[in-house]
Amino acid sequence: MKPVFDSRTTPAISAEMTALLPHQGSFELQRDQPAKIHNWHFHSLDEELFILRGDAVLFWDADGLYQERHCPAGTWITLPAGTVHGSVAGADGVV
């Protein structure tokens, strides 16, 4: 396999979106369809999530205790490296 390259018009990035970028690192824009489940997993680096549209339920393991929280649009989530977690997108999906 090899990479595929293409040329496209670069979309404008608003100041609000730029403010979400880390000082150094990457930003991922993800759309999940209604009821999409991300099963239990963890990352070796900190993870920052920001709900732009829709909602989701985030669940995590807090020292062996199941925890969950409903996260509507406008919720900023910081998951420290190694946090075992997952999520379920709401009825209208989530971005």
Side-chain angles (χ1 to χ4, degrees):
M1 297 186 68
K2 62 181 182 177
V4 175
F5 298 91
D6 192 6
S7 294
R8 298 182 184 192
T9 302
T10 304
I13 300 175
S14 69
E16 291 86 359
M17 291 297 284
T18 301
L20 296 174
L21 290 169
H23 177 71
Q24 172 62 46
S26 63
F27 176 86
E28 175 185 320
L29 184 60
Q30 178 173 312
R31 175 175 40 205
D32 288 339
Q33 297 301 312
K36 165 67 178 170
I37 298 171
H38 290 277
N39 286 315
W40 293 100
H41 65 282
F42 67 93
H43 306 278
S44 59
L45 301 172
D46 292 349
E47 182 178 25
E48 301 276 340
L49 305 169
F50 187 73
I51 308 294
L52 295 171
R53 273 196 308 252
D55 66 302
V57 171
L58 180 78
F59 52 89
W60 67 97
D61 180 338
D63 297 320
L65 183 64
Y66 176 86
Q67 299 286 310
E68 71 174 39
R69 180 171 171 167
H70 176 251
C71 301
T75 304
W76 188 295
I77 304 157
T78 301
L79 296 166
T83 302
V84 178
H85 66 283
S87 63
V88 180
D92 294 323
V94 65
V95 174

